[in-house]
Amino acid sequence: MTTISSVAAQDSALPRLRVDLLPLLLVPVLALLMLPLIGSFPTWVTLTVAGLAMGMMVFMMASGLTLIFGLMDVLNFGHGAFVSVGAFTATLVLLPMKGWVEADSILMNLSVVGLAILLAMLVTGILGWAFERIIIRPVYGLHLKQILITMGGMIVAEQLIHVIWGAEQIPLQLPTTFRGAFIIGDAALEKYRLIAVGVGLTVFVTMFLVLNRTKVGLLIRAGVENGEMVEALGYRIRRLFVGVFMAGSALAGLGGVMWGLYKETLTAAIGGEITVLVFIVIIIGGLGSVGGCFIGAMLVALVANYAGFLAPKVALVSDILLMVTVLLWRPQGLYPVAKR
Amino acid sequence: MSELLLQLEGVHTHIGQYHILQGVDLAVPKGGITVLLGRNGAGKTTTLRTIMGLWHASRGSVRFAGDDITHSPTPDIACAGIAYVPESMGIFSDLTVRENLFLAARGVKSADQMDEARLEWIFGFFGALKKFWNQPAGTLSGGQKQMVAIARAIVEPRKLLLIDEPTKGLAPAIIQGMIAAFRELKQTETILLVEQNFSFVSALGDTVAVMDGGRIVHSGSMAELTEDRDLQHKLLGLSLDTNQ
């Protein structure tokens, strides 16, 4: 049988794999550069772990949004609503089961937080389904309308939270065994921050495995690049859209619970307040890129923490400065997603 | 005349305010290669996209294997047995060659379950794919990407392949190789091939339809068109001269 391999593979050497390591190096390089500036190793460790913990929580909230944008081309400015609803839904478990929260038992503490997370993800996932169906679906492809209607959706969600939970702040108690810190040498590593790092890494690894090792994950990645071709291969991209929107909303709900426990106080605006940060992260990472989103979240949080320690006034604009710097270097973000 | 696999009758397609297809009548017999020729802007790509449901016909009908697919959604049309290779190739550049083919193999749940005999058959045409199996498709050359795009269309048996300008931008040596590959393919597949490169399709086509101004202006056997220089000039004009 005749083949065209002989002619098409004239450039017979294997194409060089373009593994872009530079963005991966940013986080460790940034951390190491800060060590001499901070001067104290224990302080550096504490700041770095705190930054990584915050970064993980921001990643949980941002990862869904970046996939929603990448796959569906939807600018969801209402994403913060799922963060707020997730955090408030957690109170439905954490407040009535206060005994479990206050118990000096890691098993009871983990159980009650796990239950709160499950409920929050379930509720925000279902809310995401309704949000996509009612609010997003009529405005596919219309970016300006998407911005307006999703911001409107966020305002409605905040007001509904006021109606259901009231306008007052709600204190959210951190479970007993999650409090305190591990003291290693002179460095204090807060337990909850380490838990947040663990949960964030679990989410990242799970997303990585799903996106790289499953057919659904490959379809999502393919859909981010060329949704029309995915349809032409026989798959209903609309179902993928809905699934990703629900998953992204549920992840925001998870982030909301973690963020709420971190802040220990809830207001309806908790999601709205974090929305700007989430958008900065996904822009830095490259819209649609989960890996970029992860690195972006770490960078934003670390820079905020280091700047807060070294130059508190600069910390107020550190996120924006970081975004501008990254975009001057890579205008499409750290890991731009190929589009058709 | 052999059995018709695809039939378009009076198909009109609008894209926004533009009236692109203006009553296309096209019949694709089962087996072999039907070539759709025409100048730029004649409506060839729009015809393929309308068949595939990526743009919907505003009037007329598209029948495939006896079923009306005029208003069917694209995934249903694909599942009915039509594979599409767009002009842009539609390669998922972030995915490996293996993953690109795996997504096209709808019947399997893991890449390891892909039909090995079928893959070997494909490697018979496109041997380079075996070598680049685990390479991201985005790192391949234009010719290699075209191989991935066509291999993806035939990784599982399909009733009809719609292939849009496969030689566009490829080196002459690769085009010669592709002619050989298409000759093999047409023994088992039915192909509707859109091209502007007459020398390429004249060596391959069994039947031909020529488009102009959103309509089919000629249809018949490829042998007849290849032999009749006057008809070629009348139908294809300058585009033909430049491609010969």
Side-chain angles (χ1 to χ4, degrees):
Chain A
M1 188 182 283
T2 316
T3 80
I4 62 171
S5 57
S6 51
V7 279
Q10 295 157 357
D11 36 343
S12 56
L14 281 176
R16 197 186 304 167
L17 277 176
R18 289 174 300 184
V19 182
D20 189 1
L21 289 172
L22 273 180
L24 288 175
L25 294 173
L26 284 177
V27 173
V29 167
L30 171 73
L32 290 175
L33 281 177
M34 290 299 124
L35 180 55
L37 292 175
I38 291 166
S40 154
F41 183 71
T43 307
W44 176 81
V45 171
T46 304
L47 284 172
T48 303
V49 171
L52 290 177
M54 184 183 163
M56 293 292 178
M57 285 184 273
V58 174
F59 167 71
M60 289 175 224
M61 293 180 262
S63 54
L65 186 62
T66 202
L67 272 184
I68 287 167
F69 182 83
L71 182 67
M72 303 160 75
D73 203 22
V74 167
L75 288 165
N76 181 12
F77 276 71
H79 194 69
F82 302 110
V83 174
S84 300
V85 171
F88 274 86
T89 304
T91 64
L92 298 176
V93 174
L94 296 174
L95 297 183
M97 296 178 73
K98 202 173 178 183
W100 287 51
V101 173
E102 291 175 345
D104 193 13
S105 155
I106 193 160
L107 194 64
M108 290 174 88
N109 291 171
L110 279 175
S111 302
V112 74
V113 170
L115 190 61
I117 285 172
L118 275 180
L119 183 67
M121 291 181 78
L122 185 70
V123 168
T124 48
I126 293 169
L127 186 68
W129 173 80
F131 200 85
E132 192 275 341
R133 212 173 166 78
I134 297 165
I135 293 183
I136 303 289
R137 198 166 287 187
V139 292
Y140 272 124
L142 307 167
H143 282 153
L144 182 62
K145 287 187 178 176
Q146 284 168 10
I147 293 170
L148 294 173
I149 202 165
T150 54
M151 286 184 91
M154 173 118 162
I155 293 167
V156 170
E158 280 188 12
Q159 295 310 309
L160 283 175
I161 287 173
H162 281 149
V163 170
I164 298 168
W165 280 279
E168 301 299 314
Q169 289 189 353
I170 296 180
L172 200 60
Q173 194 178 343
L174 202 56
T176 306
T177 57
F178 292 9
R179 295 179 174 278
F182 296 111
I183 308 294
I184 300 173
D186 290 331
L189 304 179
E190 281 188 32
K191 288 179 188 172
Y192 185 67
R193 286 174 172 167
L194 291 175
I195 291 169
V197 170
V199 174
L201 280 177
T202 305
V203 169
F204 178 67
V205 171
T206 305
M207 283 184 84
F208 182 84
L209 290 175
V210 167
L211 288 172
N212 289 282
R213 299 276 185 270
T214 69
K215 194 163 198 173
V216 169
L218 292 177
L219 282 170
I220 291 170
R221 286 169 60 203
V224 167
E225 191 174 337
N226 190 342
E228 188 178 272
M229 197 62 223
V230 170
E231 290 228 293
L233 290 180
Y235 300 96
R236 292 184 180 276
I237 197 114
R238 184 76 73 186
R239 286 185 190 163
L240 266 184
F241 279 8
V242 176
V244 167
F245 205 94
M246 289 177 74
S249 307
L251 281 171
L254 165 65
V257 179
M258 298 298 291
W259 191 244
L261 284 168
Y262 179 66
K263 305 268 281 184
E264 295 194 65
T265 306
L266 294 187
T267 66
I270 189 172
E273 287 162 6
I274 200 85
T275 297
V276 175
L277 196 63
V278 163
F279 267 92
I280 288 173
V281 162
I282 66 169
I283 290 168
I284 287 176
L287 294 165
S289 162
V290 173
C293 173
F294 184 75
I295 295 172
M298 297 307 120
L299 281 176
V300 162
L302 283 173
V303 166
N305 262 21
Y306 293 141
F309 180 80
L310 294 168
K313 284 186 180 172
V314 177
L316 295 171
V317 290
S318 65
D319 307 331
I320 301 291
L321 284 177
L322 177 68
M323 183 172 71
V324 169
T325 310
V326 169
L327 293 184
L328 283 173
W329 175 40
R330 294 195 170 187
Q332 303 292 319
L334 294 174
Y335 284 115
V337 172
K339 281 274 183 188
R340 65 174 179 270
Chain B
M1 189 173 176
S2 57
E3 182 190 346
L4 288 183
L5 183 61
L6 178 77
Q7 194 166 18
L8 278 71
E9 283 183 349
V11 170
H12 289 251
T13 300
H14 290 78
I15 302 170
Q17 60 181 334
Y18 300 105
H19 189 180
I20 309 293
L21 299 189
Q22 303 182 12
V24 171
D25 296 302
L26 174 69
V28 176
K30 194 172 182 179
I33 295 180
T34 297
V35 177
L36 191 55
L37 285 169
R39 305 167 203 226
N40 275 339
K44 306 182 299 292
T45 295
T46 305
T47 302
L48 292 198
R49 290 178 65 84
T50 302
I51 296 167
M52 208 60 214
L54 294 165
W55 287 328
H56 283 290
S58 45
R59 258 194 289 160
S61 71
V62 182
R63 296 188 71 80
F64 174 65
D67 297 322
D68 187 345
I69 58 165
T70 317
H71 302 293
S72 299
T74 301
D76 289 359
I77 293 169
C79 291
I82 302 183
Y84 176 50
V85 181
E87 189 180 340
S88 62
M89 295 181 267
I91 291 299
F92 305 123
S93 54
D94 196 29
L95 306 189
T96 63
V97 171
R98 175 175 175 263
E99 289 166 342
N100 267 277
L101 267 63
F102 169 47
L103 289 189
R106 288 192 301 268
V108 300
K109 289 185 176 164
S110 90
D112 297 333
Q113 293 173 348
M114 280 193 284
D115 184 343
E116 277 187 34
R118 184 103 186 159
L119 288 178
E120 286 303 325
W121 176 69
I122 291 170
F123 294 148
F125 309 125
F126 308 127
L129 297 186
K130 198 168 192 173
K131 183 174 175 184
F132 301 133
W133 193 233
N134 289 312
Q135 290 286 318
T139 63
L140 304 182
S141 69
Q144 291 157 354
K145 282 181 187 166
Q146 192 60 263
M147 285 189 239
V148 177
I150 296 170
R152 201 170 54 180
I154 57 174
V155 70
E156 283 183 340
R158 304 278 183 250
K159 292 176 186 161
L160 174 66
L161 310 182
L162 308 179
I163 305 180
D164 197 354
E165 298 209 38
T167 64
K168 194 174 180 182
L170 299 188
I174 296 180
I175 292 175
Q176 288 308 311
M178 204 158 267
I179 288 174
F182 272 92
R183 277 208 180 106
E184 296 284 346
L185 266 179
K186 75 181 226 181
Q187 305 303 319
T188 52
E189 313 291 319
T190 303
I191 302 172
L192 174 57
L193 181 63
V194 160
E195 257 299 342
Q196 291 203 60
N197 183 337
F198 188 73
S199 60
F200 173 68
V201 289
S202 61
L204 288 169
D206 299 298
T207 55
V208 63
V210 181
M211 287 195 82
D212 194 24
R215 290 190 183 91
I216 301 291
V217 293
H218 169 84
S219 54
S221 77
M222 179 56 87
E224 181 192 10
L225 183 62
T226 308
E227 284 165 14
D228 192 338
R229 301 267 315 163
D230 290 340
L231 186 60
Q232 289 172 25
H233 278 277
K234 182 184 161 200
L235 294 171
L236 300 164
L238 288 174
S239 62
L240 176 60
D241 293 335
T242 54
N243 281 318
Q244 280 195 318

